[in-house]
């Protein structure tokens, strides 16, 4: 059962110790998934809460690893990355859902007539990013449409989108609210298959997580940070154009395409990705967490610290909390 909590209306965060220092690690280069952090920073809401917040740039070390080791108190995390790291015993707890629904989708050139359904992808070339999740995800989608789930993979990372555009590969995965929006701006027609239409559970694609040990020792600072961040995303939900301008300004040239940032913010809001109707910004849905946990467990993606598949499904209810949110 989803937690039933009334929509939050809040004007200020709870105070923490004056100018307590903490950091939050990004999961990628700055983009609209991070907008609430930059809005809260620019508006002075972290400072008002007694916090000196350092937004750490993306590095080769994952945000989850930085949080789990205590290098960063908080981090923006992909849902799948969080579950796989937490399964190994990583010292992390998620405290806020940045994105309420799956933003990923399987995409291909919209002008191709030979791809009409996922089963048509059997034997084709997938441009991938090198994770076990991709294999489980795509094979599930194809098999649930009656195919064999067999395809060739070339690992290209972000070069996948250029490879798709020039026809070197047949399909890839993208974030609809970023790469999908960009494909429209670039006039590259695409068609897509939604994961949930083919047996893959919906999920919070992006989460805010904290170091569990630090959270337990610093509940007031944690609550102050989470609620200031929550306020930043609420502002973005209600003022997407202003929030886009703030993100562009605060990242000092790291986002050279303002049209993409604005269009992405519009897509996040219009698609209902930042907030469920009647719920506060950031609420974590227990059913979503449990469903993706089951999917990853069944696919043998959840592994222990020795890289062995878990033999018992973990109790994901201990992996997240809504207690730090303003309700």
């Amino acid at each position: 059962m989803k937690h039933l909590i009334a929509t939050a209306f809040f004007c200020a965060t709870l105070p923490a110790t004056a100018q307590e220092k903490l950091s939050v690690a990004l999961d990628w280069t700055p983009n609209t998934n991070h907008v609430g952090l930059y809005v809260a920073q620019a508006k002075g809401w972290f400072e008002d809460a007694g916090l000196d917040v350092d937004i750490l740039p993306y590095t080769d070390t994952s945000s989850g690893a930085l949080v789990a080791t205590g290098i960063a108190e908080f981090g923006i995390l992909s849902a799948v990355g969080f579950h796989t790291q937490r399964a190994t015993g990583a010292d992390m707890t998620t405290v806020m859902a940045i994105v309420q629904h799956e933003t990923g989708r399987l995409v291909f050139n919209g002008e191709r007539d030979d791809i009409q359904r996922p089963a048509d992808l059997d034997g084709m070339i997938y441009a991938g990013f090198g994770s076990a999740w991709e294999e489980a995800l795509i094979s599930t989608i194809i098999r649930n449409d009656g195919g064999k789930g067999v395809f060739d993979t070339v690992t290209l990372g972000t070069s996948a989108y250029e490879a798709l555009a020039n026809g070197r590969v047949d399909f890839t995965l993208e974030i609809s609210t970023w790469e999908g929006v960009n494909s429209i701006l670039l006039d590259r027609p695409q068609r897509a298959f939604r994961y949930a239409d083919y047996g893959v559970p919906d999920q919070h694609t992006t989460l805010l997580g904290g170091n569990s040990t630090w959270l337990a020792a610093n509940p007031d600072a944690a609550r102050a940070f989470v609620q200031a961040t929550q306020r930043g995303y609420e502002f973005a939900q209600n003022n997407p154009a202003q929030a886009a301008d703030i993100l562009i300004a605060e990242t000092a040239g790291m986002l050279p395409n303002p049209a993409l940032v604005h269009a992405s913010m519009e897509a996040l809001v219009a698609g209902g990705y930042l907030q469920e109707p009647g719920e506060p910004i950031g609420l974590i849905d227990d059913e979503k967490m449990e469903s993706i946990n089951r999917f990853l467990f069944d696919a043998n993606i959840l592994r222990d610290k020795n890289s062995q598949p878990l033999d018992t499904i973990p109790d994901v209810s201990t992996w997240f909390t809504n207690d730090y949110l303003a309700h």
Side-chain angles (χ1 to χ4, degrees):
M1 176 71 67
K2 182 182 292 185
H3 299 288
L4 299 177
I5 302 175
T7 303
F9 295 95
F10 48 91
C11 298
T13 56
L14 298 177
T17 304
Q19 293 304 299
E20 179 158 354
K21 293 181 180 293
L22 58 86
S23 59
V24 54
L26 300 185
D27 61 331
W28 198 247
T29 53
N31 58 68
T32 47
N33 281 350
H34 310 138
V35 66
L37 294 171
Y38 287 101
V39 168
Q41 190 83 289
K43 293 286 188 180
W45 294 334
F46 290 139
E47 185 178 0
D48 290 347
L51 303 173
D52 179 4
V53 175
D54 186 14
I55 301 175
L56 301 179
Y58 172 71
T59 69
D60 289 339
T61 302
S62 73
S63 55
L66 295 175
V67 172
T69 56
I71 294 172
E73 286 78 15
F74 291 94
I76 304 294
L77 312 169
S78 74
V80 173
F82 166 73
H83 281 267
T84 54
Q85 289 177 300
R86 189 67 175 79
T88 68
D91 190 22
M92 289 190 291
T93 300
T94 54
V95 295
M96 180 179 174
I98 303 299
V99 177
Q100 289 295 322
H101 297 284
E102 176 66 71
T103 53
R105 61 184 186 176
L106 188 157
V107 294
F108 51 96
N109 189 313
E111 297 176 342
R112 291 186 61 161
D113 294 328
D114 59 335
I115 303 176
Q116 297 296 325
R117 51 188 295 176
D120 294 333
L121 300 174
D122 267 333
M124 291 192 177
I125 301 173
Y126 164 64
F129 304 86
S131 72
W133 154 250
E134 297 162 64
E135 173 69 29
L137 169 70
I138 297 167
S139 60
T140 296
I141 290 171
I142 295 175
R143 287 198 305 269
N144 284 345
D145 188 49
K148 297 178 181 178
V150 177
F151 54 93
D152 294 325
T153 299
V154 290
T155 302
L156 297 177
T158 54
S159 299
Y161 307 112
E162 289 301 323
L164 183 66
N166 62 33
R168 290 196 297 117
V169 299
D170 298 303
F171 65 101
T172 189
L173 303 178
E174 71 173 17
I175 300 300
S176 62
T177 53
W178 191 259
E179 290 90 8
V181 167
N182 197 40
S183 71
I184 295 172
L185 296 177
L186 293 172
D187 194 25
R188 293 175 176 171
Q190 292 182 340
R191 284 184 289 133
F193 300 130
R194 293 176 62 250
Y195 307 163
D197 291 339
Y198 300 95
V200 180
D202 192 12
Q203 63 172 321
H204 297 297
T205 316
T206 307
L207 298 156
L208 176 67
N211 179 275
S212 301
T213 300
W214 186 89
L215 291 171
N218 300 274
D220 291 339
R223 187 169 292 104
F225 173 77
V226 171
Q227 292 188 12
T229 300
Q230 187 183 12
R231 187 180 179 190
Y233 282 98
E234 183 182 54
F235 179 91
Q237 167 73 15
N238 296 327
N239 307 278
Q242 292 181 54
D245 287 337
I246 289 171
L247 177 62
I248 294 166
E250 288 292 304
T251 52
M254 296 184 71
L255 291 165
N257 188 349
L260 173 57
V261 179
H262 279 268
S264 177
M265 278 305 311
E266 291 171 5
L268 281 168
V269 172
Y273 291 110
L274 292 183
Q275 185 174 25
E276 289 277 30
E279 292 183 355
I281 288 280
L283 189 70
I284 301 172
D285 185 323
D286 53 353
E287 291 182 359
K288 286 192 178 74
M289 296 292 284
E290 290 165 3
S291 294
I292 195 64
N293 184 57
R294 167 62 69 178
F295 181 87
L296 296 172
F297 175 78
D298 289 344
N300 288 326
I301 292 175
L302 298 185
R303 295 174 176 260
D304 62 22
K305 61 183 179 181
N306 297 316
S307 298
Q308 297 301 307
L310 299 185
D311 54 17
T312 303
I313 191 168
D315 179 8
V316 74
S317 69
T318 64
W319 292 7
F320 70 93
T321 179
N322 286 309
D323 290 349
Y324 299 105
L325 295 169
H327 296 162

